[in-house]
Amino acid sequence: MAGRRANQVRIYDVAKVAGVSIATASKALNDTGRMADATRERVKQAAADLGFRPNAMARALISQRSFTIGLLTNDTYGRFTLPVMAGVSEALVDEGVSVFLCTIEDDPALGKVHVDAMLSKQVDGIIASGKRIDRRLPVDLSNLPVPVLYAFTDGPEEAVTLVSDDAQGSREAVEWLVGLGRRRIVHVTGPDTFASVQERAGAFRSVVGTAGRVLFGSWSEAWGHEAVGQLWNEGGDAPDAIFCGNDQIARGVVDALRERGIVVPGEVSVVGFDNWELMAAATRPPLTTVDMNLKELGREAGRLILALAEGAPVEPGIRKLPCQLVIRQSCGGGLRG
Amino acid sequence: MAGRRANQVRIYDVAKVAGVSIATASKALNDTGRMADATRERVKQAAADLGFRPNAMARALISQRSFTIGLLTNDTYGRFTLPVMAGVSEALVDEGVSVFLCTIEDDPALGKVHVDAMLSKQVDGIIASGKRIDRRLPVDLSNLPVPVLYAFTDGPEEAVTLVSDDAQGSREAVEWLVGLGRRRIVHVTGPDTFASVQERAGAFRSVVGTAGRVLFGSWSEAWGHEAVGQLWNEGGDAPDAIFCGNDQIARGVVDALRERGIVVPGEVSVVGFDNWELMAAATRPPLTTVDMNLKELGREAGRLILALAEGAPVEPGIRKLPCQLVIRQSCGGGLRG
DNA sequence: CCAGCTTGGTAAAACGGTTTCTCAGATGCG
DNA sequence: CGCATCTGAGAAACCGTTTTACCAAGCTGG
């Protein structure tokens, strides 16, 4: 038991090699305190020679800062969480902060275990993230001794919450279609129980008028397929553009149109949502789609949780981060501008 | 600075409430030492009442065990890493071990920063993971003071490496096709520079004979599409089954066949590889495909890194974990039995 | 020539636990 | 009743670092 790790160098060793006390060594390495420049250099050189790496645990014990944060998510598949995670990590790595990733699959017990573990390990803050912005994680994060931030998941009013601005993204998409001269635009989207579905549909109607047609269904390719069947079988003027609730639906729509011999984007323009690369790029033609900028959302989450951890005042409430329309070939129109 | 976190309960507080010394409190809570049962109970009750959560940092400082491991990956998209991660986490959460996730995108400098951060934080071990089993991470993990394990990525000979048994998975898939009566089986796969492509192709030939036809290409749907074009345009007996190198290729194949009016699985059986749910399930018909059991691989990785961290002897070398054929509808044959 | 500053450095007390050692008192035994 | 043994609990050392307090010289100025 115990017994130092094989080649673990302590500050004690650095001090001995440099011929100073550990107090001096500490100050030299942290650029604090007063001492002769020569001494400081000598200590730094010794530390470099020995490959000294300060024990973050010992440091954390004193400073009450572990330089560690926890990322909690119930998005097992990771399509939304991964970009967020990448952003968080990117924003924090320069500050020396590491991220614990905990996946809890809608299991409250598991959630509690992970939160307890994180708190035990003295995380400086927790970011809660999910796959739906209108659902909470199955775990109670109120009254924790550390700051909590909600990113792409629902949080209490008094908390800081980061979400993508779906309405703005949707407006941009629909306005793009209108700008291309499309007039008979239909919105084919997911289940109307999702807040994001409501928000995107609302934005859609705000552009095309309240009579704008919206078809609710599921998030699947199959639904996109089926919707095209409905729309084209009912007679009357067929749509000349379809704004889809996500890329899977869009892919189903594009495939169904092709099967019917309808040319995309020649006769019908299609826009997706999510910019899920593997889906959007593999569709023929590649999808023009709305990117929620989740990585940037993650970066912002990282910056904010750090500010909170340092005790900086952060205005609570919901912050909507802008989406961006990514132009590919499913609408025509070429480069934007 | 410093100043204890708001409602942070120390063992000191527990001891005071229970009316004992902190030494006794510690022993009571850890079920060590000797003391009256009544005392032990009293301490435990006090700890529960106060919501005492031992400071893992302080504990780690003494025990030289942080109950933390690092997971390093260059799989930004996460398709392979996420299941591995989920498995690792699942295997370790019961032992109180948390996981640092570090994504390094083929950037050696970033890799070094993350490894240094992990070592500083005294991780008990590091699992290296990737998206290719024949490529190393762009970071040197030799001579580290902690054990390193390679999961789904290439590692040095003297290390413990976990990979999926692609050959076994491929054999099962091809034997399944043979069992269904298919005789003109073709293998459409990715770039021949991938070790996994070689291994799968080798296994394919070991079942159908060395004359078995293999078409190398890219990992894309487009390639699956194109391959069908090649195969059906060249005249002669068309294939009655296609074993694909991954699910994306398989999807391209199935789509191309449908466009040609060829019935899957009636006329041609198709098998994929990866069991990438969202792809396999959205294909029409849903893909029969080989699952690499990456979550189980992750669980095994978790168990092994823990054993290594505890100093248990673990035989070095490559361990191949079995794949599993997942039967859906793209081959016919119904339930396996 | 000495009080008062700087300068360059050290000793020691934290941080929050675990573990070893010690010890007082209760008990068993002859 | 005296001595060895056992029991339950506490004091103190320790893990590796930071930080505060302190001190011995060397210098300045009157």
Side-chain angles (χ1 to χ4, degrees):
Chain A
M1 194 96 333
R4 219 158 59 258
R5 233 172 229 167
N7 44 353
Q8 188 73 308
V9 181
R10 284 124 65 243
I11 197 170
Y12 171 85
D13 304 308
V14 175
K16 203 166 61 179
V17 168
V20 296
S21 70
I22 58 172
T24 303
S26 174
K27 285 187 291 194
L29 295 172
N30 293 296
D31 284 322
T32 58
R34 278 177 333 203
M35 75 192 63
D37 285 352
T39 310
R40 201 180 287 278
E41 267 320 303
R42 191 154 35 91
V43 172
K44 286 189 174 178
Q45 189 59 50
D49 291 349
L50 275 73
F52 171 65
R53 202 180 281 117
N55 184 321
M57 302 266 155
R59 191 177 270 191
L61 204 51
I62 297 184
S63 67
Q64 305 285 345
R65 289 268 275 119
S66 66
F67 291 89
T68 285
I69 70 126
L71 182 54
L72 209 57
T73 174
N74 66 344
D75 179 21
T76 8
Y77 184 67
R79 191 159 119 227
F80 300 117
T81 288
L82 261 161
V84 174
M85 163 88 199
V88 170
S89 182
E90 193 180 305
L92 296 180
V93 69
D94 292 331
E95 316 289 331
V97 176
S98 306
V99 181
F100 283 125
L101 180 55
C102 304
T103 317
I104 56 171
E105 8 207 316
D106 297 312
D107 177 347
L110 188 59
K112 186 157 166 34
V113 169
H114 270 129
V115 170
D116 277 348
M118 293 201 282
L119 292 177
S120 234
K121 291 185 174 122
Q122 312 295 113
V123 291
D124 296 333
I126 293 180
I127 298 179
S129 181
K131 50 193 168 189
R132 274 184 74 165
I133 58 174
D134 53 352
R135 282 278 187 281
R136 299 225 172 152
L137 296 187
V139 55
D140 180 25
L141 296 176
S142 55
N143 299 113
L144 256 42
V146 299
V148 177
L149 183 147
Y150 297 79
F152 208 75
T153 191
D154 192 36
E157 272 195 23
E158 68 279 10
V160 181
T161 304
L162 258 43
V163 296
S164 54
D165 192 344
D166 285 23
Q168 165 267 337
S170 302
R171 271 196 308 274
E172 285 206 17
V174 182
E175 281 163 2
W176 172 246
L177 291 171
V178 171
L180 291 170
R182 303 303 186 179
R183 290 297 174 266
R184 301 187 305 283
I185 311 176
V186 175
H187 183 34
V188 177
T189 186
D192 62 3
T193 51
F194 279 62
S196 57
V197 165
Q198 295 297 341
E199 186 150 353
R200 294 171 196 176
F204 166 72
R205 289 201 180 103
S206 80
V207 176
V208 302
T210 51
R213 181 150 177 213
V214 180
L215 271 57
F216 300 99
S218 71
W219 290 120
S220 65
E221 286 187 43
W223 160 236
H225 225 269
E226 184 191 328
V228 167
Q230 280 183 219
L231 289 166
W232 264 261
N233 289 340
E234 64 191 10
D237 274 352
D240 59 3
I242 301 186
F243 169 44
C244 301
N246 75 359
D247 287 346
Q248 283 166 275
I249 295 176
R251 166 134 203 205
V253 164
V254 170
D255 284 353
L257 291 173
R258 188 175 47 248
E259 284 167 28
R260 287 173 175 262
I262 299 168
V263 181
V264 175
E267 298 171 68
V268 177
S269 291
V270 178
V271 181
F273 209 107
D274 285 353
N275 191 27
W276 185 21
E277 286 280 338
L278 263 124
M279 187 57 72
T283 303
R284 292 168 302 147
L287 285 176
T288 289
T289 181
V290 178
D291 191 313
M292 291 188 283
N293 282 328
L294 291 179
K295 192 167 181 183
E296 177 55 32
L297 191 149
R299 275 190 285 259
E300 184 65 15
R303 285 189 286 261
L304 282 175
I305 197 73
L306 206 61
L308 285 164
E310 283 164 359
V314 174
E315 188 81 11
I318 297 179
R319 304 180 180 213
K320 299 195 173 187
L321 274 58
C323 298
Q324 188 190 357
L325 187 65
V326 176
I327 309 291
R328 292 201 183 81
Q329 297 157 42
S330 64
C331 289
L335 286 180
R336 214 175 166 200
Chain B
M1 197 95 327
R4 220 157 56 258
R5 235 171 227 167
N7 44 354
Q8 188 72 306
V9 182
R10 283 124 64 244
I11 198 170
Y12 171 84
D13 303 308
V14 175
K16 202 166 61 177
V17 168
V20 297
S21 71
I22 57 173
T24 303
S26 173
K27 285 184 289 196
L29 295 173
N30 292 297
D31 284 323
T32 58
R34 278 179 334 206
M35 74 191 64
D37 285 350
T39 310
R40 203 179 285 280
E41 266 321 305
R42 192 153 35 89
V43 173
K44 285 188 174 179
Q45 188 60 50
D49 291 349
L50 275 71
F52 171 66
R53 203 181 280 118
N55 184 322
M57 302 264 154
R59 191 178 266 189
L61 206 51
I62 297 183
S63 67
Q64 305 284 347
R65 290 266 278 119
S66 66
F67 290 90
T68 285
I69 70 125
L71 182 55
L72 208 57
T73 174
N74 67 343
D75 179 21
T76 7
Y77 184 68
R79 190 158 119 229
F80 301 117
T81 289
L82 259 159
V84 175
M85 163 90 199
V88 170
S89 184
E90 192 181 304
L92 296 180
V93 68
D94 292 331
E95 315 289 332
V97 175
S98 305
V99 180
F100 283 125
L101 180 56
C102 304
T103 316
I104 57 172
E105 9 206 313
D106 297 313
D107 177 347
L110 188 58
K112 186 160 167 31
V113 169
H114 269 130
V115 170
D116 278 347
M118 293 201 277
L119 292 177
S120 237
K121 291 183 175 124
Q122 313 294 114
V123 291
D124 297 332
I126 294 181
I127 297 179
S129 181
K131 50 193 167 188
R132 273 184 75 165
I133 59 174
D134 53 352
R135 282 278 187 280
R136 300 224 171 151
L137 296 186
V139 55
D140 181 24
L141 296 176
S142 54
N143 298 114
L144 256 41
V146 299
V148 177
L149 183 147
Y150 298 79
F152 208 75
T153 192
D154 192 37
E157 272 195 23
E158 67 280 11
V160 181
T161 305
L162 258 43
V163 296
S164 54
D165 192 345
D166 285 23
Q168 164 266 336
S170 301
R171 272 195 308 274
E172 285 205 17
V174 183
E175 281 162 3
W176 173 244
L177 290 171
V178 171
L180 291 170
R182 302 303 186 178
R183 291 296 173 268
R184 299 186 308 282
I185 311 176
V186 174
H187 183 35
V188 176
T189 186
D192 61 3
T193 50
F194 280 63
S196 57
V197 165
Q198 295 298 341
E199 186 151 353
R200 293 171 198 177
F204 166 73
R205 289 200 180 104
S206 80
V207 177
V208 302
T210 51
R213 184 153 176 209
V214 179
L215 270 57
F216 300 98
S218 71
W219 289 121
S220 65
E221 287 188 43
W223 161 236
H225 224 269
E226 184 190 329
V228 167
Q230 281 184 219
L231 290 166
W232 264 262
N233 289 341
E234 63 191 10
D237 274 352
D240 59 4
I242 301 186
F243 169 44
C244 300
N246 76 358
D247 287 346
Q248 282 167 276
I249 294 175
R251 166 132 203 210
V253 164
V254 170
D255 284 353
L257 290 173
R258 188 176 47 248
E259 284 168 28
R260 288 174 174 261
I262 299 168
V263 181
V264 175
E267 297 170 70
V268 177
S269 293
V270 177
V271 180
F273 208 106
D274 285 355
N275 191 26
W276 186 20
E277 286 281 337
L278 264 123
M279 189 57 73
T283 304
R284 291 167 302 146
L287 285 176
T288 289
T289 182
V290 178
D291 190 313
M292 292 189 283
N293 283 328
L294 291 179
K295 192 166 182 183
E296 177 55 33
L297 192 149
R299 275 190 285 259
E300 184 65 16
R303 285 189 286 262
L304 283 175
I305 197 72
L306 206 62
L308 285 164
E310 283 164 358
V314 175
E315 188 81 12
I318 297 179
R319 305 181 179 212
K320 299 196 172 186
L321 274 59
C323 298
Q324 188 190 358
L325 187 65
V326 175
I327 308 291
R328 292 202 184 80
Q329 297 156 41
S330 65
C331 290
L335 286 180
R336 213 176 166 199

